[in-house]
Amino acid sequence: MPESPSSSALTGVLERIIFLNEENHYTIAEFRPDGLDASRKAEPVTIVGALPGVECGETLHLSGEWTSHSQHGAQFKIASFKSELPSSVYGIRKYLGSGLVPGIGRVYANKIVDAFGTDTFRVLSEESGRLRDVAGIGRKRATAIKQAWDGKRTERELYIFLQTYGVSPSQCLKLVKQYGSQAKTVLMSEPYRVAREIEGIGFKTADKIAINLGFANDAAPRLEAGILFAMETLQEEGHTAIGEERLRDHATEMLDTSSELVTARIEALVKARQLVRHLPRSEGAPLPGSGLLQLPVNDRAERKIAEVVSRLLRVASGLPPIKVEAALQWAEAKAGFPFHELQQQAVRSALTHKVSILTGGPGTGKTSTLRSLVSILKAKGVRVHLAAPTGRAAQRLAETTGGYASTIHRLLKYDPAAGFTSNEAHPLATDFLIVDEVSMLDTRLASALLQAVPARAHLLLVGDTDQLPSVGAGNVLQDLITASRAPVTRLSVIFRQKGQSGIVTTAHAINSGDTALPQVANGLDTIGAYNDLTFLVADSPEDCVSKVVALCTEFIPRNYAYFDPVTDVQVMAPMHKGVAGVANLNVQLQGALNGRSKGIRTQSGEFRPGDKVIQLRNNYDKNLFNGDIGTLTSVDPEAGRIEADFDGEAQSFTRGEMGELALAYAISIHKSQGSEYPVVVVPLLKGHFMMLQRNLLYTAITRGRKKVFIVGEPAAYSMAVRNGESKLRVTHLREKLAETVTS
């Protein structure tokens, strides 16, 4: 290959696939080009990019550019490609022997090609019955070969058709899986149906196809699909309900049409029950456009929450008789210290009310309150269940209370085929359910959880209202505090380390809007080793990254040898992109902490043995959930498989599953919700201005158990603290609670 290649096009044969992400078809492969260098024609080159539906042996026409990888050298990065079925006997053997057809390996591929030579593909397409002339191929295997061949041909035709419209390889795969040979027909006749029925293919993709196929800009299917897409877009801001006027204006601008047409289609969607309208309760007639609109799934979820709260408040308690004041005295003696009156109030409320809420910041005694409550309930033989949204939060809840705790998904026994096994018809076998980190609960998960609570059971919801709200839509904790009529205990007195903890006092100072910096250091050599919270000044994004890496690799190991720099230290950034974003921090920290290991290459980087990784989405088959953190224990590049340990459980990931993982030396602050770490490092720069909010900074530093280091610009700290206005989330839960609980 030339030392400084500059070609923008290559033609040749796909020799070997080194890596394939089965979800998006990102591929790393060996490619034998034609005529790249006549003297070295037999030498393969590395190509990288999306190659959906191709197999070894195919002739590919590639366009793209040469790039240089720091570790793997020159690579051809694919921008687009066209493929041809191989025409030579050599290519056909390689193509059929590549695993294209289940049950056909190299042995049968050779037999078929020996029998039919260059006519093999025509025989497969037009005279597949002749396959039975090949030794070892009977009717069943011949039929399987024919079906697989026809399916592959359908995929290839669809990929070629969709390339014109910019549809991604992973979307192509979903279309074929959903519609089979009818995929092209469905797209051409009902393109907006695809946006409704296939996860991951949204309105924009369907609209691009539809417009190119000649659908009118003001066609009813387009407008209705666009309105529903607008609802989902606004839902991503945390809303479960949208003002009708706001939806109309948003959809009108997005669809480039008239507000009158959008209004008419909103009305049609309401009549078809694809949208639910809630009009304000008033004496006079409601003004046009003054109502709230919801997707039916959100309306049902909120309605169920309100119904369950109402039912719990109506039905008598199933607890055995408990002398509350005597129980409190017993718990205080067991704990070895007197409780604050607010802590006593929280325990009383939990024991005497079917539904109660406990909230408060760090160091205010939530842990000791819960521990005492669990002790009392256990002593009375009460069946207590504890749950939290994340694995780490559940583990911490179990450790601090002495009870058994699980994630909400595990508690409800999620079945991928049937949903939650524990539900309204099959409630949990419990007398008392305690749920921690309720600020993380979105509307749908909260609805599923509450429906599984038995009518005679008690429910205690625990959370910190000053933390970041749930990632999913809803404002459940705040709405319940406002409108559920359940007693709320707010712990406000700081107990941890007798008020001397820098982490705790700074957290409360942030909430009060105090912009004064905590203990400041201008360099690593000026950090006070005994301080539990330090602001390390950095004057640029590059300086920030350098100091973050130095903290993790030099300062912390040197001064706190009992902390493991990988497992005990967590870097948490406000944003993913940028020099001081999650992505670049992971690259830099991996190189500094785990640079010697060799790993397996993926689209997003490289996984190496010893890497810290995070699960990015719920995987119910593996019992892994979004935000779970583990460690890679082994990597097998040849087999395309990695092994990881998640809290003592071994998990295996194939190439197609590796997209579910990401490096976790650095994670986003949002991903840290519900977790605590011995040491937390937070880069904070003015360049993060889009994310700089008081509750973000508060959440970040309260994740640290022993030490917190903020690395960045003082002005960014002030910007975050001053920005105390969290975006208002619009829901309809409070109205439903007011209507149901009081009726």
Side-chain angles (χ1 to χ4, degrees):
M1 195 180 75
E3 289 185 6
S4 300
S6 58
S7 304
S8 59
L10 287 180
T11 297
V13 176
L14 184 66
E15 285 287 319
R16 183 168 75 95
I17 295 176
I18 300 169
F19 168 79
L20 170 65
N21 183 321
E22 295 173 7
E23 184 171 323
N24 60 15
H25 283 269
Y26 178 84
T27 305
I28 302 171
E30 283 187 2
F31 182 75
R32 195 176 300 277
D34 298 334
L36 180 66
D37 184 338
S39 65
R40 301 169 68 186
K41 185 175 179 179
E43 184 178 336
V45 299
T46 301
I47 59 174
V48 297
L51 288 174
V54 301
E55 302 291 342
C56 293
E58 288 189 44
T59 295
L60 303 180
H61 302 276
L62 309 176
S63 63
E65 61 180 357
W66 286 101
T67 61
S68 180
H69 190 280
S70 59
Q71 186 174 349
H72 303 287
Q75 301 175 336
F76 189 83
K77 187 176 181 181
I78 303 162
S80 62
F81 78 97
K82 292 181 180 179
S83 66
E84 296 176 3
L85 290 175
S87 55
S88 67
V89 169
Y90 167 79
I92 294 170
R93 285 187 198 279
K94 181 172 281 293
Y95 185 75
L96 281 185
S98 65
L100 168 71
V101 181
I104 295 206
R106 292 182 181 178
V107 174
Y108 277 106
N110 286 333
K111 286 183 178 182
I112 293 170
V113 177
D114 286 343
F116 306 116
T118 56
D119 204 27
T120 295
F121 292 152
R122 190 191 65 77
V123 170
L124 289 171
S125 298
E126 302 172 11
E127 301 178 47
S128 59
R130 291 177 60 190
L131 289 170
R132 294 170 64 187
D133 296 337
V134 177
I137 298 181
R139 176 179 296 176
K140 188 174 181 180
R141 179 163 283 174
T143 301
I145 293 171
K146 171 64 173 173
Q147 289 175 344
W149 177 256
D150 288 345
K152 196 70 179 178
R153 185 172 57 186
T154 299
E155 281 185 40
R156 290 170 63 87
E157 290 174 355
L158 187 64
Y159 290 141
I160 292 169
F161 168 73
L162 291 174
Q163 275 186 348
T164 309
Y165 305 108
V167 180
S168 73
S170 61
Q171 291 170 336
C172 291
L173 203 64
K174 290 176 180 177
L175 287 166
V176 173
K177 186 176 181 180
Q178 177 83 7
Y179 303 118
S181 60
Q182 296 300 307
K184 185 175 178 181
T185 302
V186 170
L187 279 170
M188 295 187 73
S189 60
E190 301 177 88
Y192 296 104
R193 172 183 164 190
V194 172
R196 294 195 308 271
E197 296 181 355
I198 301 183
E199 185 179 356
I201 298 184
F203 170 78
K204 289 184 178 179
T205 301
D207 196 40
K208 188 188 297 183
I209 296 171
I211 295 297
N212 278 286
L213 289 171
F215 276 70
N217 190 63
D218 58 357
R222 177 177 187 266
L223 297 182
E224 291 181 6
I227 290 166
L228 294 176
F229 173 70
M231 283 289 292
E232 291 166 359
T233 302
L234 293 168
Q235 181 178 282
E236 290 173 3
E237 297 178 8
H239 310 300
T240 63
I242 308 297
E244 193 164 339
E245 187 174 351
R246 184 184 180 194
L247 175 64
R248 184 198 64 207
D249 294 344
H250 183 77
T252 298
E253 182 179 354
M254 183 189 76
L255 294 166
D256 191 22
T257 188
S258 72
S259 60
E260 291 78 13
L261 285 173
V262 170
T263 300
R265 296 332 302 168
I266 288 175
E267 201 63 41
L269 288 168
V270 171
K271 287 181 179 178
R273 298 184 180 179
Q274 290 183 269
L275 287 177
V276 178
R277 176 185 278 135
H278 302 286
L279 295 174
R281 292 197 292 179
S282 60
E283 294 181 5
L287 296 172
S290 62
L292 287 177
L293 292 169
Q294 286 191 291
L295 293 170
V297 66
N298 289 330
D299 177 61
R300 286 194 300 271
E302 289 182 347
R303 200 170 296 284
K304 282 296 181 183
I305 292 172
E307 288 174 1
V308 171
V309 171
S310 176
R311 182 181 70 215
L312 290 172
L313 294 175
R314 282 196 320 268
V315 178
S317 169
L319 295 185
I322 299 176
K323 295 179 180 178
V324 176
E325 297 309 316
L328 275 168
Q329 290 176 14
W330 174 84
E332 286 181 329
K334 191 172 189 293
F337 58 87
F339 297 157
H340 187 273
E341 61 182 279
L342 288 175
Q343 292 176 293
Q344 293 177 349
Q345 179 184 316
V347 175
R348 284 193 197 97
S349 293
L351 293 175
T352 58
H353 291 80
K354 294 284 298 307
V355 182
S356 59
I357 298 171
L358 174 62
T359 183
T364 57
K366 288 200 303 291
T367 296
S368 55
T369 302
L370 290 178
R371 187 187 301 121
S372 298
L373 175 61
V374 170
S375 296
I376 292 170
L377 293 170
K378 282 185 172 182
K380 286 293 184 178
V382 175
R383 294 175 299 174
V384 185
H385 283 72
L386 300 103
T390 67
R392 293 215 165 197
Q395 183 179 355
R396 192 177 73 249
L397 183 61
E399 291 170 352
T400 55
T401 62
Y404 172 75
S406 67
T407 65
I408 292 169
H409 282 84
R410 291 188 179 102
L411 177 71
L412 301 181
K413 299 181 179 66
Y414 188 86
D415 181 340
F420 291 112
T421 304
S422 294
N423 49 42
E424 202 163 14
H426 302 92
L428 295 164
T430 190
D431 302 315
F432 205 116
L433 177 61
I434 299 172
V435 187
D436 198 9
E437 299 287 355
V438 178
S439 62
M440 294 179 64
L441 280 188
D442 61 47
T443 299
R444 297 188 196 179
L445 184 56
S447 175
L449 175 64
L450 265 63
Q451 287 181 66
V453 179
R456 289 171 61 81
H458 282 231
L459 174 66
L460 172 60
L461 302 174
V462 184
D464 185 345
T465 55
D466 294 315
Q467 284 190 32
L468 287 169
S470 59
V471 175
N475 200 17
V476 176
L477 181 58
Q478 280 288 13
D479 287 346
L480 287 171
I481 288 173
T482 303
S484 70
R485 301 185 74 179
V488 179
T489 304
R490 299 178 187 272
L491 302 180
S492 55
V493 179
I494 300 173
F495 295 104
R496 191 187 293 182
Q497 294 182 19
K498 298 181 180 180
Q500 299 305 305
S501 164
I503 295 172
V504 172
T505 54
T506 302
H508 288 273
I510 288 170
N511 272 342
S512 67
D514 184 353
T515 60
L517 288 171
Q519 189 71 41
V520 176
N522 290 305
L524 272 71
D525 56 341
T526 62
I527 295 176
Y530 295 101
N531 295 333
D532 66 349
L533 193 150
T534 301
F535 191 101
L536 180 58
V537 176
D539 55 20
S540 70
E542 291 75 15
D543 185 37
C544 175
V545 172
S546 175
K547 285 177 175 172
V548 166
V549 172
L551 275 171
C552 296
T553 59
E554 299 170 22
F555 182 84
I556 292 171
R558 184 172 64 245
N559 290 278
Y560 317 110
Y562 41 88
F563 291 139
D564 184 289
V566 175
T567 58
D568 291 334
V569 179
Q570 186 58 63
V571 178
M572 302 183 331
M575 297 177 68
H576 282 273
K577 296 181 180 179
V579 174
V582 170
N584 185 52
L585 283 165
N586 269 316
V587 171
Q588 302 305 320
L589 289 165
Q590 182 192 45
L593 293 168
N594 195 20
R596 296 181 180 179
S597 301
K598 290 186 178 180
I600 187 168
R601 297 163 66 194
T602 71
Q603 180 182 7
S604 57
E606 186 170 8
F607 287 134
R608 302 169 183 170
D611 277 340
K612 181 158 68 170
V613 292
I614 186 169
Q615 179 77 15
L616 298 177
R617 60 180 66 95
N618 293 341
N619 186 321
Y620 301 106
D621 293 329
K622 296 183 187 295
N623 212 22
L624 288 176
F625 301 94
N626 188 354
D628 285 352
I629 289 180
T631 304
L632 293 188
T633 53
S634 68
V635 172
D636 188 342
E638 291 299 319
R641 185 177 297 275
I642 59 178
E643 305 282 340
D645 178 272
F646 284 86
D647 293 327
E649 293 185 14
Q651 300 286 355
S652 178
F653 296 83
T654 63
R655 280 186 176 133
E657 296 171 325
M658 290 180 198
E660 296 183 2
L661 297 176
L663 293 175
Y665 298 98
I667 61 174
S668 69
I669 295 172
H670 280 85
K671 286 285 188 186
S672 75
Q673 285 178 271
S675 298
E676 277 190 350
Y677 311 93
V679 183
V680 161
V681 180
V682 185
L684 198 71
L685 298 165
K686 288 184 292 184
H688 297 144
F689 69 92
M690 291 181 64
M691 300 297 294
L692 293 181
Q693 289 182 312
R694 184 181 297 173
N695 57 3
L696 184 92
L697 180 58
Y698 174 85
T699 300
I701 70 166
T702 55
R703 300 308 90 202
R705 200 158 56 236
K706 299 292 185 181
K707 301 286 180 182
V708 172
F709 300 91
I710 304 172
V711 186
E713 298 164 318
Y717 184 91
S718 297
M719 288 168 65
V721 174
R722 284 197 302 267
N723 186 10
E725 295 183 8
S726 300
K727 292 181 180 177
L728 179 65
R729 291 190 166 194
V730 182
T731 75
H732 195 253
L733 178 56
R734 280 175 291 177
E735 289 82 353
K736 291 184 175 77
L737 285 164
E739 179 182 320
T740 307
V741 173
T742 57
S743 61

